[in-house]
Amino acid sequence: MNFDTSIKLNMLTVEKIGGTSMSALRDVIDNIIFHQVPAKNIYNRVFVVSAFAGVTDMLLENKKTGSPGVYHRLARYQDFSKPLKSVIIRLKAINRDYAELGLDLDAADQFIEEHIRKAQKFLSNLANILASGYVSKESILQAAREILASIGESHSAFILTNILLNRGVHVRLIDLSGFDDHRAFTIDQRIRHAFKGIALKDNICIVTGYAKGTEGIMREFDRGYSEVTFSKIATLLKPHEAIIHKEYHLSTADPAIVGVDNCSPVGFTNYDITDQLADVGMEAIHPKASKPLEINGINLRIKNTFQPSHPGTLITREFICEHKRVEVITGTDKLLMIDVYDPLMVGAVGSDLKIMQILSHHHISYTFKTTSANSISVVIWERDFSRKLINNLEDDFEKVTIDKVALVCLLGTNMDQPGLLAKSALALTEHGINIKSAGFGIRKVNIQFIVAREDFKMAIVALNSKMSLDFQNRCASGMS
Ligand SMILES: Nc1ncnc2c1ncn2[C@@H]1O[C@H](COP(=O)(O)OP(=O)(O)O)[C@@H](O)[C@H]1O
Ligand SMILES: N[C@@H](CC(=O)OP(=O)(O)O)C(=O)O
């Protein structure tokens, strides 16, 4: 059965191209845009593009390290015009890289200069208002963050559109940054308005991953916002398929840990599993972006930009694996386990409620919980830790212990079977790994083990080799 039917039937698709993929623009053009058979099937496709890799980091801050960009200079009342000039230099250097793909370099440079000049004007006005102290700092900074963020996607969308136009393709540029638009649209209204009257069947649409709206996409979602724009567009246009193009496959285990030869792309899974992945920080898609797709019954495909013939992973609402199988092994080593102990907990109704109220007060969501007569342990992200949280817990309970831990988990839509737990525990034991805690809900879509941080990678490798061996054995006996 061929599941890449969107291409064959020339049905509408809404596709998102991430920043790392965008930087490999030749591959985007050859592998995504023109990789169509027959060639006329390039139309009826809407592409939501992210900024080129590193650009939003320069404008706002580095997503991984937090190292400050232009935004933080403005927020600290410092001169931001110099770093903004560096952005122009960087974007023009990016333009030069793509001249050989057919970009009109003069037009691209001019676009950037004019666009950033306009942005600079808006930002200077905001900085002046900020300095006056008359308006709330928060709303001014929010607006500045939106203006800066939009530059990255306006640039990348312009570049891709220009190259395609120069190659004779029918392209419509849909710039949702609303730079010259004073109307107070919500994001959904802006999207609806932008797509009105566009003949999708006869065009490729290139859309900015940033979208301006009264609710503020940065306030609601912040970094990674282009996935949200993508999801909103898909929800409006109801495509045959929504597609995310990434630089890697969603794999049976993290290729960076187990090696590419020891894992394989996941063919099919469901939205429940992508939520489980997101819960441990591996965001095949952000839940805020996937929920509307799931609710509207829109199927999502994750594709690897560099392997265009591979159908990737198809995520649907309904998929349940035919065979008993672990579909993905993943985890994170950036967690803390907080154990709350009190000898008076036994039989006392509401101890857990008290802990939850304290977590909720600190806006902290937990990823794992277990309980015994006199203790409750919760696992939270280390980045959410604060001394105040612990003080609040200590006010109500006798002893609070904190442990830096890792969580490894087995995920699957249909993996419940006798012996799976024993086999996983054995895999960890054989590698000398002590299981600090473990848990799973009755649906058994996520079996979780808490281990020491230093055991994280070995635990992933151990579970992966045990489960792969099991899979190979079943294939050999014709069961799979
Ligand atoms: N099962 C898995 N398949 C693919 N990647 C995985 C898996 N588990 C963990 N990862 C890691 O997740 C990272 C991608 O996660 P994502 O949240 O999309 O990050 P990014 O910010 O790089 O887009 C990759 O760098 C990869 O090493
Ligand atoms: N460029 C924005 C939006 C985005 O979603 O990018 P990416 O698809 O590369 O995560 C950011 O870095 O936040």
Side-chain angles (χ1 to χ4, degrees), residues 46 172-174 191 193-205 237:
V46 173
R172 296 292 298 263
L173 171 61
I174 300 187
I191 291 172
H193 193 263
F195 277 94
K196 217 181 268 169
I198 291 191
L200 296 173
K201 278 202 158 45
D202 308 319
N203 283 284
I204 279 181
C205 293
L237 299 181

Side-chain angles (χ1 to χ4, degrees), residues 44 50 52 94 196 220 227 249 317 324 334 337 418:
N44 213 18
S50 294
F52 294 108
I94 292 175
K196 217 181 268 169
E220 297 255 309
E227 232 162 60
H249 283 294
R317 218 161 40 169
K324 295 285 177 192
K334 299 189 173 47
M337 189 157 196

Side-chain angles (χ1 to χ4, degrees), residues 118 140 259 324 338 418-419 453 479:
K118 266 190 221 162
I140 295 290
K324 295 285 177 192
I338 300 176
R453 282 227 183 134
M479 280 170 66

Side-chain angles (χ1 to χ4, degrees), residues 16-22 48-57 59-61 63 145 149 152-153 156 209-210 218 222-228 244-247:
K16 185 217 140 178
I17 308 176
T20 313
S21 291
M22 278 302 284
V48 180
V49 298
S50 294
F52 294 108
V55 171
T56 317
D57 287 354
L59 291 161
L60 301 177
E61 65 281 308
K63 197 173 173 180
R145 201 165 169 77
E153 278 77 24
S156 58
Y210 171 83
M218 303 302 293
D222 215 84
R223 300 301 297 273
Y225 48 83
S226 57
E227 232 162 60
V228 173
I244 295 182
H245 298 276
K246 283 207 175 218
E247 66 274 25

Side-chain angles (χ1 to χ4, degrees), residues 250-296:
L250 172 61
S251 305
T252 49
D254 187 350
I257 296 179
V258 303
V260 270
D261 296 336
N262 297 315
C263 58
S264 48
V266 174
F268 306 91
T269 194
N270 66 26
Y271 281 109
D272 188 19
I273 298 299
T274 59
D275 286 347
Q276 308 296 330
L277 280 163
D279 210 31
V280 290
M282 196 281 144
E283 283 175 7
I285 180 165
H286 193 286
K288 279 189 177 159
S290 70
K291 233 14 88 180
L293 300 179
E294 179 182 359
I295 290 166
N296 285 281

Side-chain angles (χ1 to χ4, degrees), residues 1-7 13-14 239-244 249-251 265-274 277 284-285 293 297-304 310-321 327-328 413:
M1 188 165 176
N2 183 356
F3 283 87
D4 220 359
T5 46
S6 54
I7 290 167
T13 54
V14 173
H240 169 67
E241 241 179 36
I243 305 174
I244 295 182
H249 283 294
L250 172 61
S251 305
V266 174
F268 306 91
T269 194
N270 66 26
Y271 281 109
D272 188 19
I273 298 299
T274 59
L277 280 163
I285 180 165
L293 300 179
I298 298 168
N299 295 344
L300 172 70
R301 191 181 290 279
I302 311 271
K303 282 201 71 166
N304 182 330
H310 196 292
T313 308
L314 185 66
I315 300 158
T316 63
R317 218 161 40 169
E318 304 79 18
F319 177 78
I320 301 290
C321 189
E327 285 163 34
V328 186
T413 55

